[in-house]
């Protein structure tokens, strides 16, 4: 049978099928007396064979208890005399999980590959009881069991050269080279993949008739392209016909493009046509633009199912310089379409499914080398619940064990390029301790860019669930360098790895976000951490080295002692919350870091990190906002983590330098577009280079501390040398010495650092002198920066050296264009060093919640908010007010927008560095809710589903007298009722025109007539609450009627505007009258316009402060209604402290045990607010002038859009008209947003005003597609309006959605009412300003 037959059989090969190396063949002969586990008919058995971690399957034999398979399965194997084989036999189910018929293990001692050995294995069932079933196997070496001679025999090579075996070109479909023997070179130089494909095709059956075939190439992506790549493109050539993709950027571009060509050929001729895949850099001139190439013929696609080759990696090489080795990898799907057939849609595949060794086509002559990743897995923590208590009880019943207290059984799976290993299972623990050393074997070079770390939950009754996945990028834990003292192989830790995925809260039904646990998309919640260490080495593995061993306890203790934890302080102040869409229940916001602050977590405390639940208020146009006004919520979370400040500081300094260079280049490009004279551009270019040199040379990267990892030390040295902060003296060596990360042929040492680590265990990094014969040298790339017309390319010692050459060296006489290219080259090199994979503190999550439903979230990386004494090393958001868009999971749709002030740092930094928002003070309140229920029309505490006094969730009983101030705190005032601030707002707030509506209803007796008598006529509002007749409804203060009352006839009503129902209170109104209808109603509407300032409404408040609702889980309101069944009111009591000390209340679970020292208690966090005095609460008016946008996305089939803009600022929003069928709308519109409250010091507001958000949409009948977003700062006007100078229009780039593009031309002015603005304009106006006779300015108002 062999591997060729296996690839075409029904057996399912695992992703590890093609690991190159020595082979062993296992012949699955037959099985007898298998148990029949089906009620009707006979079983359909197949066998699953596992050998040294690799698994193969046979075909399914239908309707038999004595199957005859006679299938030969091939496995890679280590050089050992003992063979141990595990076999499982299953019955294939058409629906559901396949059933296990039995399993067993067979062992051969004294194995030799020249002999065949027979094994009979008696099977046992899943309960480890013997069965009658027996399976027969044969085990042999890499040769054919019927072959007389050894492998390959002594036959002559027909004059062809023999190659010493490493492992030679192959990949795909089960083809591989053979290690330890001579292999004949193919005369045509074709790869093993092509040889295998052609061997599987019967050319005698192919037609000679010419037909029209279509060839489709889907170019997915490229990876690890060598050199300084600028604009790569892919060219596919078939029989001389060339197709090409669009340009992309970088060395790991994603193309996702399809190119198609048609050929008129016969089938026989078609399969011989040459195919050439080429990657070139379009930014360079020929012949220096070739990156790599791969040649094959169409048989590789023809031999596949549906003639479709899917998601294959092609290892690219330079045919003119094959000694360079692999120059990159290209992922392509190819389909050959015969006449009359349709193209097949490609199924979606995850990255981990594609990145396996069996999925790579290597060209002839490529040698693969073995290597190993050594992982030390220490501990894990904070894993979420994964099993329900009911399922755990069932499992407990069958296993006769004790029920675990913690419903998760974690283990870790490590995978690279299809090779994998698993740790042991730790049962019933959220915080497992493994203490294991594991080895993952691989073959290199490898196209795989990510090392997969996947934490799973073991399940005895079903499939194992994934808890979370971390993908470690090889490029971020290793470094490729032509300098022998800088390169190193992959290394990591010991360090914690934060894990993210779906919600932490356990769900008994299917979790719709469970796919996030696979690591392919951004996680929406923290799901734990693992502590691990990774190192690598090349060459054959030591036969004595076991894949799984225990780590000595002393070593684990040393690692843990180096990760001593510190107390951290996280402060979050909420300034504004708007753009909220969900209003079904009261809205609150939750802040969490790790499992600290998760209000729905098993370990969460009462109200640990949420804002006060509050009804969101309509802003008058589209969104809802939080009515926080001058009393804004704040959250403080105390947590304990390792000290990673030096890593975060280094990362922030590097990011600051990247931003500095980007901004300098952006300003220069603006001058170029402005057509500034060449002389001035030369001057500006020199100034830019000098400023970059000045800032870069002054960078002070923190030196790693004593407990730093090897990766910290390695990258510290790499950054110092590559930037040029430290000059190094390099000994004379061959010109091109180093390692190639793609080929991983050897490794160099960082000798300077190793001298400081004497006494440590032997470093896996080898000295270059020890591996010269193994190292695959890196030549200088053809695309290195070089002086024009120079015979040799320039080599730069560092980035600073390259920049210095532009003003003081060989390149100082060159044009500014070339110099700017060099600056961009330096920026690209700098960005390649700007990352930090070992930040072990989890991200901060901010969620908007409605009841217990999580609506939208944002993730804030910890390095962005961490405090440092060094301003450049400090997080860019630390202590500053910043905008955050909360998006819905797995969607681009925005669920809320927040303006936050966040500060994160160690406790010792709080006193000297932590500051609350300017012009405010922090107040602390104890909080409890008083609850009542309506029983027979009376409000009582009887039959309450929650305690009389409780927290907001109703889970914990918290009477007012159960609070006692913690040490250092005291109560300042008595308990007071705190009313929801939303009660002071109306639906029409923010509108200048509002339509008042009221229903006029009538009732009749059965068989009676409709009458207008007062006893049979009723009036209600749209919510069903009783109201006055329309003639008696007053116009609200600050408004005036603009029209009379009119019937609304635009609804489904009769000619008089009536709609009919059986009963007035039952709803279900319809437009057709029936004899049995006893109620009818019609809607009256009247328009009113704003005429002046309105006062906050106070009359709607309940005099006792109660809030009413149908249920405790639904939205509360201020006025009691007929259907309300529950009510509550919030009690607050203020606390003060003489000294800043942490505050947590210890509350008795049973108040009667208050005097008992051993009474059970729980902790409760207080409510914190940021209070602004009236002097620091100001009202502003925003004037937004939107002139035009250009280059918007085309969302309609016509290629155009119907764009309109929506502007949001504070608690107000507005919108423009939609312009039809254009991508460059000219609105020429101004929008005024009035009565906007901004709290804080005036100077702070002038220096850092809140952001204006402008969103762009395509108006369609059924949906409004989002086209992009602009976030910008308004210009705060500091002098009286009639003295203002004209505000200039600016271009703002549009972003915010995938593939967003275009720009907005606009201006935004912010006026403080009463300071520089003494009047208000209520309608939209044009930008044309004129001057009246008395010297005052005014706007010409345009009606819409």
């Amino acid at each position: 049978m062999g591997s060729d037959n296996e690839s075409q059989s029904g057996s399912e090969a695992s992703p590890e099928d093609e690991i190159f190396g020595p082979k062993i063949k296992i012949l699955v002969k037959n099985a007898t007396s298998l148990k029949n586990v089906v009620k009707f008919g006979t079983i359909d058995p197949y066998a699953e064979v596992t050998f040294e971690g690799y698994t193969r399957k046979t075909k399914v034999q239908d309707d038999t208890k004595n199957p005859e398979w006679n299938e030969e399965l091939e496995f890679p194997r280590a050089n050992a005399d003992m063979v141990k084989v595990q076999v499982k036999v299953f019955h294939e189910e058409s629906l559901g999980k396949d059933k296990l018929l039995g399993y067993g293990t067979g062992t051969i001692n004294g194995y030799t590959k020249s002999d065949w050995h027979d094994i009979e294995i008696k099977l046992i069932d899943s309960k480890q009881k013997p069965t009658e079933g027996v399976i027969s196997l044969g085990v042999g070496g890499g040769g054919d069991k019927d072959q007389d001679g050894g492998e390959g025999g002594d036959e002559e090579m027909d004059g062809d050269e023999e190659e010493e075996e490493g492992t030679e070109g192959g990949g795909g479909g089960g083809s591989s080279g053979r290690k330890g023997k001579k292999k004949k070179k193919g005369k045509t130089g074709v790869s093993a993949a092509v040889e295998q494909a052609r061997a599987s095709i019967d050319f005698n059956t192919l037609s000679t008739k010419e037909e029209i075939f279509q060839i489709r190439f889907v170019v997915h992506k490229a990876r690890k392209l060598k050199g300084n790549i600028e604009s790569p493109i892919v060219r596919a050539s078939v029989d001389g016909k060339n197709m090409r993709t669009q340009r992309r950027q970088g060395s790991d571009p994603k193309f996702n493009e399809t190119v198609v060509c048609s050929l008129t050929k016969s089938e026989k001729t078609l399969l011989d046509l040459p195919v050439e895949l080429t990657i070139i850099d379009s930014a360079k001139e020929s012949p220096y633009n070739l990156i790599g190439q791969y040649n094959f013929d169409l048989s590789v696609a023809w031999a596949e199912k549906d003639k479709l080759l899917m998601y294959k990696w092609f290892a690219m090489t330079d045919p003119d310089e094959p000694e360079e080795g692999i120059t990159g990898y290209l992922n392509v799907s190819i389909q050959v379409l015969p006449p009359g057939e349709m193209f097949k849609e490609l199924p979606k595949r995850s990255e981990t499914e594609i990145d396996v060794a069996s999925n790579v086509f290597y060209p002839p002559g490529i040698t693969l080398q073995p290597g190993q990743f050594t992982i030390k897995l220490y501990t894990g923590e904070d894993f979420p619940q994964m099993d329900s208590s009911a399922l755990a009880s069932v499992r407990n019943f069958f296993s006769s064990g004790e029920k675990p207290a913690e419903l998760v059984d974690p283990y870790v799976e490590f995978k690279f390029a299809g090779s994998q290993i698993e740790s042991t299972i730790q049962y019933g623990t959220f915080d497992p301790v493994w203490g294991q050393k594991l080895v993952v074997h691989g073959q290199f070079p490898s196209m795989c860019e990510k090392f997969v770390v996947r934490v799973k939950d073991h399940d005895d009754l079903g499939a194992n669930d994934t808890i979370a996945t971390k993908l470690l990028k090889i490029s971020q834990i290793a470094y490729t360098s032509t300098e022998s003292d800088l390169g190193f192989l992959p290394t990591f830790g010991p360090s914690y790895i934060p894990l993210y995925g779906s919600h932490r809260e356990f769900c008994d039904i299917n979790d719709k976000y469970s796919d996030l646990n696979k690591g392919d998309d951004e996680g929406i919640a923290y799901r734990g951490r693992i502590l691990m260490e990774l190192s690598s080495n090349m060459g054959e593995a030591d036969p004595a080295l076991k894949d799984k061993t225990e780590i000595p306890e002393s070593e684990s203790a040393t690692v843990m002692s180096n990760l001593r934890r510190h107390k951290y302080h996280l402060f979050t102040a909420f300034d504004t919350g708007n753009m909220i869409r969900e209003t079904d229940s009261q809205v609150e916001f939750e802040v969490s870091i790790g499992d600290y602050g998760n209000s729905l977590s098993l370990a969460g405390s009462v109200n640990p990190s949420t804002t006060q639940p509050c009804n969101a208020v309509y802003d008058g146009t589209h969104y809802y906002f939080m009515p926080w006004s001058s009393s804004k919520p704040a959250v403080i979370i105390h947590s304990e983590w390792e000290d990673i400040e030096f890593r975060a500081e280094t990362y922030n300094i590097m990011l600051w330098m990247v931003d500095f260079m980007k901004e300098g280049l952006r300003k220069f490009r603006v001058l170029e577009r402005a057509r500034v004279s060449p002389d001035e551009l030369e001057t500006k270019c020199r100034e830019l280079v000098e400023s970059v040199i000045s800032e870069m040379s002054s960078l002070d990267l923190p030196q790693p501390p004593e407990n730093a990892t090897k990766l910290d030390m390695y990258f510290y040295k790499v950054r110092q040398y590559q930037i040029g902060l430290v000059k190094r003296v390099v000994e004379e060596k061959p010109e091109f010495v180093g390692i190639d990360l793609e080929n991983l042929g050897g490794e160099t040492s960082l000798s300077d650092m190793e001298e400081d680590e004497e006494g440590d265990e032997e470093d896996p990094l080898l000295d270059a002198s020890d591996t010269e014969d193994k190292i695959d040298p890196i030549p200088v790339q053809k695309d290195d920066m070089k002086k024009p017309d120079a015979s040799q390319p320039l080599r730069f010692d560092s980035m600073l050296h390259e920049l210095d050459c532009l003003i003081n060296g060989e390149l100082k006489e060159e044009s500014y264009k070339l110099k700017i290219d060099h600056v961009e080259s330096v920026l690209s090199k700098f960005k390649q060093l700007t990352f930090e994979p070992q930040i072990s503190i989890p991200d901060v999550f901010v969620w908007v919640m409605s009841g217990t439903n999580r609506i939208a979230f944002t993730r804030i990386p910890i390095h962005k908010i961490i405090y440092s004494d060094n301003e450049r090393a400090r997080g860019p958001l630390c202590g500053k007010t910043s905008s955050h868009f909360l998006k819905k999971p797995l969607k681009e749709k925005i669920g809320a927008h927040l303006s936050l002030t966040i500060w994160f740092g160690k406790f010792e930094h709080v006193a000297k560095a932590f500051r609350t928002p300017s012009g405010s003070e922090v107040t602390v309140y104890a909080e409890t809710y008083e609850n009542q229920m309506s029983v027979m029309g009376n409000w009582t505490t009887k039959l309450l589903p929650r305690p009389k006094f409780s927290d907001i969730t109703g889970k914990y009983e918290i009477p007012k007298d159960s609070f006692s101030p913690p040490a250092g705190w005291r109560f300042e005032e008595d308990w007071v009722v705190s009313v929801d601030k939303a009660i002071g707002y109306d639906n029409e707030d923010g509108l200048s025109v509002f339509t008042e509506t009221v229903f006029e209803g009538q009732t009749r007796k059965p068989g009676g007539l409709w009458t207008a008598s007062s006893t049979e006529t009723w009036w209600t509002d749209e919510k069903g609450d009783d109201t006055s007749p329309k003639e008696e409804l007053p116009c609200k203060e600050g408004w005036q009627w603009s029209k009379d009352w009119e019937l609304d006839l635009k609804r489904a009503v009769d000619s008089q505007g009536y709609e009919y129902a059986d009963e007035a209170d039952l709803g279900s109104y319809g437009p057709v009258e029936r004899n049995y209808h006893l109620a009818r109603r019609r809607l009256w509407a009247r328009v009113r316009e704003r005429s002046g300032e309105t006062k906050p409404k106070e009359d709607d408040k309940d005099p006792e402060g109660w809030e009413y609702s149908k249920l405790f889980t639904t939205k509360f309101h201020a006025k009691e209604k007929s259907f309300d069944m529950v009510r509550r009111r919030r009690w607050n009591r203020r606390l003060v402290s003489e000294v800043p000390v942490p505050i947590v209340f210890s509350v008795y679970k049973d108040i009667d045990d208050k005097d008992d020292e051993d009474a059970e208690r729980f902790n409760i966090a207080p409510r914190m607010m940021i209070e602004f005095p009236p002097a620091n609460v100001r009202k502003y008016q925003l004037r937004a002038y939107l002139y035009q946008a250009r280059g918007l996305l085309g969302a309609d089939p016509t290629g155009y859009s119907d764009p309109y803009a929506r502007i949001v600022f504070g608690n107000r929003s507005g919108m423009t008209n939609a312009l039809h069928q254009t991508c460059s709308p000219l609105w020429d519109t101004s929008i005024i947003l009035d009565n906007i409250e901004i709290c804080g010091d005036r100077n702070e507001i002038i220096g850092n005003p809140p952001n204006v958000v402008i969103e762009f949409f395509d108006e369609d009948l059924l949906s409004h597609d989002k086209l992009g977003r602009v976030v910008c700062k308004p210009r705060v006007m500091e002098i009286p309006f009639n003295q203002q100078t004209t505000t200039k229009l600016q271009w703002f780039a549009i972003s915010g959605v995938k593939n967003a593009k275009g720009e907005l031309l606009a201006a935004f002015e912010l006026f403080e009412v009463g300071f520089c603005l003494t009047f208000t304009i209520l309608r939209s106006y044009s930008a044309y300003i004129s001057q009246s006779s008395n010297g005052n300015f005014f706007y010409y108002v345009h009606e819409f």
Side-chain angles (χ1 to χ4, degrees), residues 1041-1046 1085-1087:
W1041 296 115
S1042 62
K1043 293 182 180 180
D1044 292 329
W1045 288 100
E1046 296 178 350
R1086 191 176 187 183
V1087 177

Side-chain angles (χ1 to χ4, degrees), residues 700-983:
D700 184 16
L701 301 181
Q703 188 166 356
E706 293 181 358
N707 64 342
T709 66
K710 290 179 180 177
L711 185 61
D712 293 325
M713 302 295 290
Y714 294 163
F715 270 120
Y716 175 74
K717 183 176 181 181
V718 167
R719 287 166 177 149
Q720 292 281 86
Y721 287 165
Q722 295 293 62
I723 296 172
L725 301 177
V726 175
K727 295 185 180 297
R728 68 185 188 278
V729 179
V730 184
E731 298 176 2
E732 289 295 328
K733 294 185 174 76
E735 186 178 359
F736 309 131
V737 178
I739 68 163
D740 183 349
L741 184 58
E742 276 83 19
N743 290 326
L744 289 177
E747 190 168 7
T748 60
S749 66
L750 303 177
S751 55
D752 294 342
M753 297 178 185
E754 290 169 357
E755 291 176 0
D756 297 331
E757 300 175 7
E758 293 182 3
D760 291 353
E761 63 176 300
E762 184 178 355
D763 195 316
L765 304 180
L766 306 176
D767 187 80
S769 60
D770 298 331
T771 58
E772 280 189 351
D773 57 331
K774 299 179 182 178
I775 292 175
D776 198 4
I778 302 177
V780 174
Q781 297 300 311
K782 295 185 291 293
D783 52 12
D784 277 348
M785 282 294 183
K786 55 183 180 292
K787 185 176 180 179
D789 303 323
S791 57
Q792 296 294 330
L794 288 175
R795 298 296 301 272
F796 304 110
D797 295 336
S798 65
M799 300 179 203
L800 283 172
H801 178 212
E802 182 172 355
L803 292 170
D804 186 64
C805 287
L806 301 179
I807 56 176
N808 298 318
E810 296 91 332
L811 300 175
K812 65 179 180 180
E813 301 299 330
E814 299 300 334
S815 67
Y816 72 85
K817 291 184 179 181
L818 182 67
K819 291 178 181 179
I820 289 297
D821 288 343
H822 276 276
V823 176
E824 291 182 335
S825 173
V826 169
L827 173 60
S828 176
K829 295 174 185 176
F830 201 95
K831 287 167 66 176
Q832 292 175 10
L833 298 176
T834 306
F835 52 81
E836 180 47 69
Q838 294 186 137
I839 292 184
S840 57
I841 301 180
D843 295 345
V844 172
F845 281 83
V846 181
W847 276 93
V848 56
M849 303 173 66
S850 181
T852 58
N853 296 324
R854 296 184 180 275
I855 306 302
F857 77 102
T858 185
R859 272 175 67 172
I860 306 173
I862 209 67
H863 73 88
K864 291 188 176 182
I865 58 175
I866 196 167
Y867 174 79
S868 171
D869 292 330
N870 182 348
E871 187 174 354
R872 290 186 181 177
R874 192 179 307 155
L877 305 182
C878 181
K880 299 178 181 178
T881 303
S882 53
S883 288
H884 300 270
F885 291 93
L886 281 63
K887 65 179 182 178
K888 297 191 175 184
L890 299 178
K891 299 178 182 178
E892 290 187 352
K893 192 174 182 179
I894 298 300
H897 169 254
L898 287 176
S899 181
L900 303 176
T901 301
I902 309 181
W903 191 97
F904 180 79
K906 290 181 180 177
F907 259 49
E908 52 262 35
H909 293 153
V910 172
K912 68 175 181 179
F914 172 69
R915 299 290 182 271
T916 58
S918 62
S920 68
E921 62 176 358
V922 178
T923 56
V924 180
Y925 295 95
E927 180 181 88
T928 186
Y929 284 82
E930 182 181 3
N931 307 303
Q932 290 186 357
M933 185 175 181
S934 178
V935 178
M936 303 295 293
N938 297 317
W939 292 106
T940 179
T941 57
K942 296 179 180 180
L943 304 178
L944 261 179
R946 57 177 58 193
K948 178 181 178 181
F949 286 91
S950 71
D951 69 306
I952 182 64
T953 65
K955 295 179 181 178
Y956 301 91
E957 183 177 7
I958 316 175
K960 289 191 283 186
D961 53 357
S962 67
F963 290 88
S964 58
W969 291 83
R970 60 180 173 84
F971 284 119
E972 187 179 56
E973 301 170 353
D974 199 0
W975 289 94
V976 296
V977 175
S978 175
V979 181
D980 191 339
K981 296 176 183 177
I983 293 173

Side-chain angles (χ1 to χ4, degrees), residues 381-388 392 395 404-411 425-432 434 455-459 465-467 504 506 527 602:
E381 64 184 28
D382 298 337
F383 293 146
Q385 176 183 338
M386 296 298 294
D387 299 320
S388 69
R395 181 182 67 178
E406 298 172 342
L407 302 174
V408 60
D409 307 320
Y411 68 95
I425 301 169
Q426 300 296 309
Y427 290 94
T429 175
F430 295 136
D431 305 303
W434 285 285
V455 183
K456 290 189 170 183
D457 170 56
H458 174 72
D459 196 333
D465 301 316
T466 299
I467 297 175
R504 286 185 63 85
F506 176 72
R527 293 180 66 82
L602 294 175

Side-chain angles (χ1 to χ4, degrees), residues 1232 1321-1326 1328 1338-1344:
I1232 294 181
I1321 299 176
L1322 297 176
R1323 296 187 183 181
S1324 300
Y1325 55 89
S1326 74
Y1328 180 76
F1338 63 91
Y1339 289 85
Y1340 285 116
V1341 178
H1342 285 209
E1343 296 276 1
F1344 286 136

Side-chain angles (χ1 to χ4, degrees), residues 995-1054:
T995 302
E996 190 81 56
T997 57
V998 61
F999 277 105
E1000 176 194 3
Q1002 294 179 355
T1003 58
R1004 66 178 179 181
K1005 296 179 181 180
L1009 300 175
W1010 301 109
T1011 63
S1013 66
S1014 60
T1015 57
E1016 297 178 344
T1017 300
W1018 41 266
W1019 298 84
T1020 63
D1021 61 18
E1022 287 187 321
K1023 296 180 180 179
D1025 297 328
D1026 293 338
T1027 186
S1028 303
K1030 62 179 177 31
E1031 294 82 5
E1032 300 176 13
L1033 281 178
C1035 187
K1036 292 190 177 182
E1037 183 181 359
W1039 295 80
Q1040 63 183 13
W1041 296 115
S1042 62
K1043 293 182 180 180
D1044 292 329
W1045 288 100
E1046 296 178 350
L1047 279 173
D1048 186 355
L1049 299 177
K1050 296 180 180 179
R1051 304 162 60 244
V1053 293
D1054 64 11

